[in-house]
Amino acid sequence: MARLHERSGGVARVVTDLLSALRDTGRQRITPADVDAVGVPVRLGQLVLGRVAGISPARRPLVWAAAVLAEPVTADEIVEVSGLGRLAGRAALLSALSAAALVETADGRYTFAVPLAGAAVYAVVPGPVRQELHGRAADVLVRRQPVPWTSLARHHRAAGRVRAGCGRWSGPPWRPPAPAGTTRPSNCWNARWPHRRCRRRRGPGWRRSWRAARWSACGPTRPSRS
């Protein structure tokens, strides 16, 4: 029931549609995996995609950014991930709120009213655009304190920044931006094993947290250093 509530956002109509879909599976016992497997109810998908379609195409990347982030975020974060720029991004956020595509939470963050609505939008984001959004999401999350390592690893993987073997980053070496108002030595980040050069600049447990994030993206097997 906890997973059902989490995915539906507690909206009665969505809960009803999910229960109907689960009943159609014929399973006697429902697990969280079963709730995830039923996907987005048709009625919810049509509703949210209709709302997004009512937003100007030039402003839709902001809603796409919310789908990629998949969590409540600040206005500055969602605007940065959208890539629209400060002024255009804030105008797009107002449009998304006006169209009820996104909602504002009690603590001033922005997301979808129903988590599954975000999944419906995510599915229609063009692949190359989605990859760019994940890359910008990773650049935003790495500046949070504490860093959400599991989410960061998910975005890196979706952005194509790690190879299948996870032995090294693909493409040019990636260096996260320094926190606002600070500078970072150019030799600080080693794209392959960043903890080697930076562990003294990090607090206790840095290496353990970094490996946990790496494994969350690559699987339980320890990556090869070759």
Side-chain angles (χ1 to χ4, degrees):
M1 291 300 293
R3 185 58 174 169
L4 187 65
H5 184 274
E6 177 186 346
R7 298 292 281 168
S8 67
V11 177
R13 184 170 60 183
V14 180
V15 172
T16 300
D17 289 343
L18 285 174
L19 288 174
S20 177
L22 289 168
R23 188 164 48 248
D24 291 342
T25 64
R27 295 180 180 272
Q28 296 298 318
R29 183 177 181 181
I30 302 301
T31 67
D34 294 328
V35 176
D36 293 339
V38 298
V40 181
V42 174
R43 182 161 47 181
L44 174 63
Q46 292 174 341
L47 176 64
V48 67
L49 293 180
R51 290 174 176 175
V52 174
I55 299 173
S56 167
R59 295 178 174 179
R60 287 176 198 167
L62 187 124
V63 183
W64 296 347
V68 165
L69 286 161
E71 61 177 301
V73 294
T74 65
D76 288 340
E77 287 176 332
I78 195 172
V79 167
E80 183 173 348
V81 173
S82 73
L84 293 177
R86 186 176 183 84
L87 294 179
R90 291 191 176 275
L93 178 57
L94 290 174
S95 293
L97 293 172
S98 177
L102 299 179
V103 297
E104 182 180 3
T105 64
D107 58 350
R109 294 174 180 266
Y110 302 92
T111 187
F112 293 93
V114 179
L116 277 173
V121 174
Y122 185 89
V124 301
V125 179
V129 177
R130 185 170 60 243
Q131 190 173 38
E132 292 173 359
L133 290 167
H134 276 293
R136 288 195 290 268
D139 294 340
V140 166
L141 294 187
V142 78
R143 296 199 298 267
R144 285 185 183 175
Q145 292 298 327
V147 177
W149 295 109
T150 300
S151 296
L152 181 62
R154 176 177 66 85
H155 288 301
H156 276 311
R157 190 168 182 82
R161 287 178 173 174
V162 287
R163 293 180 179 172
C166 291
R168 66 180 67 197
W169 299 111
S170 63
W174 172 79
R175 293 178 176 84
T182 66
T183 59
R184 176 173 290 137
S186 61
N187 66 345
C188 175
W189 281 84
N190 180 305
R192 187 174 181 185
W193 299 104
H195 65 271
R196 286 182 177 174
R197 295 182 183 178
C198 296
R199 59 175 177 259
R200 292 183 180 178
R201 297 185 175 90
R202 300 290 173 177
W206 151 253
R207 181 180 294 187
R208 183 166 56 254
S209 298
W210 185 87
R211 284 176 176 169
R214 189 180 182 90
W215 292 355
S216 71
C218 307
T221 304
R222 182 185 294 272
S224 169
R225 296 196 182 191
S226 58

